[in-house]
Coordinates of all heavy atoms in Angstrom, one line a residue:
S3 N 4.8 25.9 1.6 CA 6.2 26.3 1.9 C 6.5 26.2 3.4 O 7.2 27.1 3.9 CB 6.5 27.6 1.3 OG 6.5 27.6 -0.1
T4 N 6.1 25.2 4.1 CA 6.4 25.1 5.5 C 7.8 24.5 5.8 O 8.4 23.8 5.0 CB 5.3 24.1 6.1 OG1 5.4 22.8 5.6 CG2 3.9 24.6 5.9
H5 N 8.3 24.8 7.0 CA 9.6 24.5 7.4 C 9.6 23.6 8.7 O 8.5 23.6 9.3 CB 10.4 25.7 7.7 CG 10.7 26.5 6.4 ND1 12.0 26.4 5.8 CD2 10.0 27.3 5.7 CE1 12.0 27.3 4.8 NE2 10.8 27.8 4.6
D6 N 10.7 23.2 9.0 CA 10.8 22.2 10.2 C 10.3 23.0 11.5 O 10.8 24.1 11.7 CB 12.3 21.8 10.4 CG 12.4 20.8 11.5 OD1 11.5 20.1 11.9 OD2 13.5 20.7 12.0
G7 N 9.4 22.4 12.2 CA 9.0 23.0 13.4 C 7.6 23.7 13.2 O 6.8 23.9 14.1
E8 N 7.3 24.0 11.9 CA 5.9 24.6 11.7 C 4.7 23.5 11.5 O 3.7 23.9 11.9 CB 6.0 25.5 10.4 CG 6.9 26.6 10.5 CD 6.8 27.6 9.3 OE1 7.0 27.1 8.2 OE2 6.5 28.7 9.4
E9 N 5.1 22.4 11.0 CA 4.1 21.4 10.8 C 3.4 21.0 12.0 O 2.2 20.8 12.1 CB 4.6 20.2 10.1 CG 5.0 20.4 8.6 CD 6.4 20.9 8.5 OE1 7.2 20.9 9.5 OE2 6.8 21.3 7.3
S10 N 4.1 21.0 13.2 CA 3.4 20.6 14.5 C 2.5 21.6 14.9 O 1.3 21.3 15.3 CB 4.5 20.4 15.6 OG 5.2 21.6 15.8
V11 N 2.7 22.9 14.7 CA 1.7 24.0 14.9 C 0.5 23.9 13.9 O -0.7 23.9 14.3 CB 2.4 25.4 14.7 CG1 1.4 26.5 14.9 CG2 3.6 25.5 15.6
I12 N 0.8 23.6 12.7 CA -0.2 23.5 11.6 C -1.1 22.2 11.9 O -2.4 22.4 11.8 CB 0.4 23.4 10.2 CG1 1.0 24.9 10.0 CG2 -0.6 23.0 9.2 CD1 2.1 24.8 8.9
L13 N -0.5 21.2 12.3 CA -1.3 20.0 12.5 C -2.2 20.1 13.7 O -3.3 19.6 13.8 CB -0.4 18.7 12.5 CG 0.2 18.4 11.2 CD1 1.4 17.3 11.4 CD2 -0.8 17.8 10.2
G14 N -1.5 20.8 14.7 CA -2.3 21.0 16.0 C -3.5 21.9 15.7 O -4.6 21.7 16.2
A15 N -3.4 23.0 14.9 CA -4.5 23.9 14.5 C -5.5 23.0 13.8 O -6.7 23.2 14.0 CB -4.0 25.0 13.7
H16 N -5.1 22.1 12.9 CA -6.0 21.4 12.1 C -6.9 20.4 13.1 O -8.0 20.2 12.8 CB -5.4 20.5 11.0 CG -6.3 20.0 10.0 ND1 -7.2 20.8 9.3 CD2 -6.5 18.7 9.5 CE1 -7.8 20.0 8.4 NE2 -7.4 18.7 8.6
Q17 N -6.2 19.9 14.1 CA -6.9 19.0 15.1 C -8.0 19.9 15.7 O -9.2 19.3 15.9 CB -5.9 18.5 16.1 CG -5.1 17.3 15.8 CD -4.3 16.8 16.9 OE1 -3.8 17.6 17.7 NE2 -4.1 15.5 16.9
Q18 N -7.7 21.1 16.1 CA -8.8 21.9 16.7 C -9.9 22.3 15.7 O -10.9 22.3 16.1 CB -8.1 23.2 17.2 CG -7.1 22.9 18.4 CD -6.4 24.2 18.8 OE1 -7.1 25.2 19.1 NE2 -5.1 24.2 18.9
L19 N -9.4 22.6 14.4 CA -10.4 23.0 13.4 C -11.4 21.9 13.2 O -12.7 22.3 13.1 CB -9.7 23.3 12.1 CG -10.5 23.6 11.0 CD1 -11.3 25.0 11.2 CD2 -9.6 23.8 9.7
I20 N -11.0 20.6 13.0 CA -12.0 19.6 12.6 C -13.0 19.2 13.7 O -14.0 18.6 13.5 CB -11.3 18.4 12.1 CG1 -10.4 17.8 13.2 CG2 -10.4 18.6 10.8 CD1 -9.6 16.4 12.8
K21 N -12.6 19.7 14.9 CA -13.7 19.6 16.0 C -14.9 20.4 15.7 O -16.0 20.1 16.1 CB -13.1 20.0 17.4 CG -12.0 19.0 17.9 CD -11.4 19.5 19.1 CE -10.3 18.6 19.6 NZ -9.6 19.2 20.9
E22 N -14.7 21.5 15.0 CA -15.8 22.5 14.7 C -16.2 22.4 13.2 O -17.4 22.6 12.9 CB -15.3 23.9 15.0 CG -14.9 24.2 16.4 CD -15.9 24.0 17.5 OE1 -17.1 24.1 17.1 OE2 -15.6 23.5 18.6
V23 N -15.3 22.0 12.4 CA -15.6 21.9 10.9 C -15.0 20.5 10.5 O -14.0 20.4 10.0 CB -14.9 22.9 10.2 CG1 -15.3 22.9 8.7 CG2 -15.1 24.3 10.7
P24 N -15.8 19.4 10.9 CA -15.4 18.0 10.7 C -14.9 17.6 9.3 O -14.1 16.7 9.2 CB -16.6 17.2 11.1 CG -17.4 18.1 11.9 CD -17.3 19.5 11.4
D25 N -15.4 18.3 8.3 CA -15.0 17.9 6.9 C -14.0 18.7 6.3 O -13.7 18.7 5.2 CB -16.3 17.9 6.0 CG -16.9 19.3 5.9 OD1 -16.6 20.1 6.8 OD2 -17.6 19.5 4.9
A26 N -13.3 19.5 7.2 CA -12.2 20.4 6.7 C -11.0 19.5 6.2 O -10.8 18.5 6.9 CB -11.7 21.4 7.8
L27 N -10.4 19.9 5.2 CA -9.2 19.2 4.6 C -8.0 20.2 4.6 O -8.0 21.3 4.2 CB -9.6 18.8 3.2 CG -8.3 18.2 2.4 CD1 -8.0 16.8 3.0 CD2 -8.8 17.9 0.9
L28 N -6.9 19.6 5.1 CA -5.6 20.4 5.1 C -4.8 19.9 3.9 O -4.4 18.7 3.8 CB -4.8 20.2 6.4 CG -3.4 20.6 6.4 CD1 -3.2 22.1 6.1 CD2 -2.8 20.3 7.7
V29 N -4.3 20.8 3.1 CA -3.3 20.5 2.0 C -2.0 21.0 2.5 O -1.7 22.2 2.7 CB -3.7 21.2 0.7 CG1 -2.6 20.9 -0.3 CG2 -5.0 20.7 0.2
L30 N -1.1 20.1 2.8 CA 0.2 20.4 3.5 C 1.3 20.2 2.5 O 1.6 19.2 1.9 CB 0.4 19.5 4.7 CG 1.6 19.7 5.6 CD1 1.7 21.1 6.1 CD2 1.6 18.8 6.7
V31 N 2.1 21.3 2.3 CA 3.1 21.4 1.3 C 4.4 21.9 1.8 O 4.6 23.1 2.0 CB 2.8 22.3 0.1 CG1 3.8 22.2 -1.0 CG2 1.3 22.1 -0.5
P32 N 5.3 20.9 2.3 CA 6.6 21.3 2.8 C 7.5 22.1 1.8 O 7.4 21.8 0.6 CB 7.3 20.0 3.2 CG 6.1 19.1 3.4 CD 5.1 19.5 2.3
R33 N 8.3 23.0 2.2 CA 9.2 23.9 1.3 C 10.2 22.9 0.7 O 10.5 23.1 -0.5 CB 9.8 24.9 2.2 CG 10.8 25.8 1.4 CD 10.0 26.7 0.4 NE 10.9 27.7 -0.1 CZ 10.6 28.7 -1.0 NH1 9.3 28.8 -1.2 NH2 11.4 29.6 -1.5
H34 N 10.8 22.0 1.4 CA 12.0 21.2 0.8 C 11.6 19.8 0.7 O 11.0 19.1 1.5 CB 13.1 21.3 1.8 CG 13.6 22.7 2.0 ND1 13.5 23.4 3.1 CD2 14.1 23.6 1.1 CE1 14.0 24.6 3.0 NE2 14.4 24.8 1.7
P35 N 11.9 19.2 -0.6 CA 11.4 17.8 -0.9 C 12.1 16.7 0.0 O 11.5 15.7 0.2 CB 11.9 17.7 -2.4 CG 12.9 18.7 -2.6 CD 12.5 19.9 -1.7
E36 N 13.3 17.0 0.5 CA 13.9 16.0 1.4 C 13.1 15.8 2.7 O 13.3 14.8 3.4 CB 15.3 16.4 1.8 CG 15.5 17.7 2.5 CD 15.8 18.9 1.5 OE1 15.4 18.8 0.3 OE2 16.5 19.8 2.0
R37 N 12.1 16.6 3.0 CA 11.4 16.6 4.3 C 10.0 16.0 4.0 O 9.1 15.8 4.9 CB 11.2 17.9 4.9 CG 12.5 18.6 5.3 CD 12.3 19.9 6.1 NE 11.5 19.6 7.3 CZ 10.2 20.0 7.4 NH1 9.6 20.9 6.6 NH2 9.6 19.7 8.6
F38 N 9.6 15.7 2.7 CA 8.3 15.1 2.4 C 7.9 13.9 3.3 O 6.8 13.9 3.9 CB 8.2 14.8 1.0 CG 8.2 16.0 0.0 CD1 8.5 15.8 -1.4 CD2 7.7 17.2 0.4 CE1 8.4 16.9 -2.2 CE2 7.7 18.3 -0.5 CZ 8.0 18.1 -1.7
D39 N 8.8 13.0 3.3 CA 8.4 11.7 4.0 C 8.3 12.0 5.5 O 7.4 11.4 6.2 CB 9.5 10.7 3.7 CG 9.6 10.1 2.3 OD1 8.5 10.3 1.7 OD2 10.5 9.6 1.9
A40 N 9.3 12.7 6.1 CA 9.1 13.0 7.5 C 7.9 13.8 7.9 O 7.2 13.4 8.9 CB 10.4 13.9 7.9

């Protein structure tokens, strides 16, 4: 249920995470369907 502006924080955190946990997988689910492609 992420909103505009949050995904950049989340993806930035995932970039840091995979440096320490290389096989980590992020499941990213935006709140509004009109934002899926973006």
Side-chain angles (χ1 to χ4, degrees):
S3 294
T4 60
H5 291 257
D6 187 24
E8 293 190 303
E9 288 90 6
S10 57
V11 179
I12 290 160
L13 292 167
H16 194 56
Q17 280 184 327
Q18 297 177 47
L19 175 65
I20 59 177
K21 292 176 183 177
E22 305 298 330
V23 188
D25 60 339
L27 175 67
L28 164 62
V29 180
L30 184 53
V31 189
R33 178 75 171 180
H34 299 114
E36 60 266 29
R37 300 187 58 246
F38 287 160
D39 290 338

